[in-house]
């Protein structure tokens, strides 16, 4: 079965519920069977609620929402924020805090379109380097970021629920 067509658009303050829906679904999809289920539930409730997205957007974060056509159901998103990573900050840094797409849209070009849009948004905002953190065991994501010009610039410990995990920190100059 071929995935339906999708489109990208800037998410605004009224999109917090849609962002939270796709955030919870994609996080569960990505980490079920990898991370502890209770930790996933706790993490999503704390970090991917509609209220959390409303706070991000109110603070000036940039979000892009991928929607399926017809119907505009959310199927992916990105979130750009000021950096909060354990690497030496450089002037003009921005963090790609989140980039996710539902599994039926993997391989459709949606991931490449989301990362391209995030890079364009960062450049348009005057940023010079994009940083992101990714679960150390997510080899598929490592290959994706490296394919798009990112390189490892550090490591971090990341708390999901009650469990600490080792992450890679990637960076890419614009």
């Amino acid at each position: 079965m071929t995935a339906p067509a999708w489109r990208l658009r800037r998410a605004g303050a009224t999109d917090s519920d849609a962002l939270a829906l796709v955030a919870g679904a994609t996080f569960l999809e990505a980490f079920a069977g990898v991370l502890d289920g209770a930790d996933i539930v706790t993490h999503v409730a704390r970090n991917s609620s509609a209220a959390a997205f409303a706070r991000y957007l109110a603070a000036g974060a940039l979000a892009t929402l991928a929607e399926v056509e017809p119907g505009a159901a959310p199927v992916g998103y990105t979130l750009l924020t000021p950096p909060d990573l354990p690497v030496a900050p450089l002037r003009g840094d921005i963090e790609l805090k989140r980039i996710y797409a539902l599994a039926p849209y993997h391989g459709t070009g949606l991931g490449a379109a989301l990362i391209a849009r995030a890079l364009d948004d960062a450049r348009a905002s005057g940023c010079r380097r994009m940083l992101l953190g990714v679960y150390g065991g997510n080899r598929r994501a490592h290959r994706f970021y490296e394919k798009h010009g990112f390189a490892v610039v550090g490591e971090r410990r990341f708390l999901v629920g009650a469990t600490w995990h080792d992450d890679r920190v990637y960076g890419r100059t614009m």
Side-chain angles (χ1 to χ4, degrees):
M1 182 172 126
T2 304
W6 44 262
R7 68 182 175 103
L8 303 181
R9 70 170 178 82
R10 171 76 59 235
T14 61
D15 292 310
S16 295
D17 288 332
L19 289 163
L21 176 65
V22 73
T26 55
F27 195 85
L28 176 62
E29 200 173 58
F31 295 109
V34 176
L35 306 178
D36 182 75
D39 285 346
I40 292 171
V41 171
T42 300
H43 179 82
V44 168
R46 182 181 319 138
N47 299 296
S48 295
S49 66
F53 278 102
R55 285 189 300 274
Y56 280 126
L57 294 169
L62 292 176
T64 294
L65 196 54
E67 297 173 327
V68 67
E69 293 295 342
V75 296
Y77 75 105
T78 62
L79 182 68
L80 293 169
T81 66
D84 182 26
L85 294 164
V87 297
L90 300 176
R91 188 168 171 259
D93 280 356
I94 194 165
E95 181 178 349
L96 178 57
K97 188 126 196 102
R98 310 253 182 90
I99 179 172
Y100 284 100
L102 288 170
Y105 298 89
H106 294 179
T108 67
L110 178 55
L114 283 167
I115 197 101
R117 175 76 174 263
L119 289 163
D120 288 346
D121 288 345
R123 281 186 209 96
S125 297
C127 297
R128 297 182 188 153
R129 180 173 73 159
M130 183 175 285
L131 300 168
L132 60 92
V134 63
Y135 174 57
N138 192 341
R139 305 286 182 251
R140 185 169 185 261
H142 300 167
R143 287 189 303 274
F144 175 80
Y145 296 126
E146 291 163 7
K147 176 181 170 183
H148 290 281
F150 288 83
V152 175
V153 296
E155 297 178 349
R156 73 170 172 185
R157 301 273 294 153
F158 189 76
L159 185 64
V160 177
T163 307
W164 288 96
H165 299 275
D166 295 316
D167 282 4
R168 290 182 177 181
V169 176
Y170 278 87
R172 177 191 158 162
T173 55
M174 311 283 214

